[in-house]
Every structure is written in C-alpha cells, then in structure tokens.
Amino acid sequence: MKRVDLIRKIGAAASIAGKEFTLLREGGQHSIFRCGHQNIVVPRHREINEHTARSIMRDLDDELGEDWWK
C-alpha cells in the first residue's frame, strides 16, 4: 500500500468518526501522527508492506471503531 493512500484513508475515517488526525513530528525513518488520543507510527517509505499497513490500521480500532478499515 502506498504511504499517501494509508494516511488519506486514516484521515478520512478519522474525519467521519469526529476524531482529530494530525502530524505530531517527523522522525528519522518514521512519522508520528495522533488520531484522537492515540499516537501511531507510519514508516517514511513510499510503499508500506501490506502486513505493516494492516497492523497500523488495526491499532486504530479503539479510536475509529471495530474493523473500520474493511
């Protein structure tokens, strides 16, 4: 999955859920975002492994609702 697509998907779902989705800071190899009250780490690669993307989306189930990404 492309990094841009993952960030757009999370941002759209956060907007629908009424949660704030913002970039906190840029690390050396990762970007740290805040979605609601939870921080998420997204690798700074153009392509993100499907397993990694799925794991990031699964981590946001508490904030955005169960299986929001399916």
Side-chain angles (χ1 to χ4, degrees), residues 15 32 48:
S15 178
I32 293 87
I48 297 175

Side-chain angles (χ1 to χ4, degrees), residues 1-11 46-47:
M1 172 179 264
K2 291 190 181 276
R3 178 180 191 267
V4 174
D5 294 339
L6 175 63
I7 292 171
R8 283 186 189 148
K9 185 172 186 169
I10 294 170
R46 285 183 185 216
E47 287 288 329

Side-chain angles (χ1 to χ4, degrees), residues 19-20 33-40 63:
K19 304 285 182 171
E20 185 178 356
F33 291 90
R34 178 178 286 275
C35 183
H37 296 292
Q38 185 172 359
N39 291 344
I40 58 167
E63 289 292 329

